Amino acid sequence: MSKNNYTFEQHQILGEELFHMRERLLYISSDLSRAYGKNLSKIATEAYSVIDELRNQLDSLVFKENPERETNELANTYYCANRLRTEQPAPQT
């Protein structure tokens, strides 16, 4: 069976999705900590740590698979410092 790597555009889309997932989990972790204490929020914290590891691994792959691209463009795929932090909605009660 042949292996099909992601295109650069697929990496960009996934990078954006993972960024937003991580941001949402950070918000959830903080909110859970305030509402229920640290024990429950720890699970959300572990989840965003796993996303960080996934982003790290994918960041290495995008560099390896796209040597023809500019370093800045590759670095922004999974770790874009220019993204705006989105407002999180208040939890429904």
Side-chain angles (χ1 to χ4, degrees):
M1 181 187 316
S2 68
K3 182 173 75 167
N4 294 322
N5 295 338
Y6 270 22
T7 65
F8 182 68
E9 290 73 25
Q10 287 173 308
H11 277 290
Q12 288 178 310
I13 291 167
L14 182 57
E16 189 71 25
E17 290 174 356
L18 290 174
F19 171 82
H20 289 294
M21 285 179 195
R22 183 184 188 280
E23 290 295 299
R24 182 69 178 132
L25 282 166
L26 283 169
Y27 173 81
I28 290 169
S29 177
S30 177
D31 196 50
L32 287 172
S33 180
R34 282 190 300 275
Y36 297 103
K38 298 239 183 254
N39 288 336
L40 190 56
S41 73
K42 183 178 180 221
I43 297 169
T45 300
E46 291 169 357
Y48 76 74
S49 294
V50 170
I51 288 177
D52 282 346
E53 179 58 27
L54 178 59
R55 289 169 73 200
N56 185 19
Q57 298 281 331
L58 289 165
D59 183 62
S60 295
L61 282 174
V62 79
F63 272 85
K64 180 180 173 186
E65 294 172 356
N66 298 279
E68 74 285 356
R69 298 226 178 233
E70 295 289 324
T71 300
N72 192 38
E73 183 180 30
L74 293 168
N76 287 337
T77 303
Y78 288 99
Y79 295 103
C80 181
N82 297 325
R83 289 189 176 107
L84 296 176
R85 189 177 193 97
T86 58
E87 286 294 317
Q88 298 297 328
Q92 299 295 319
T93 56

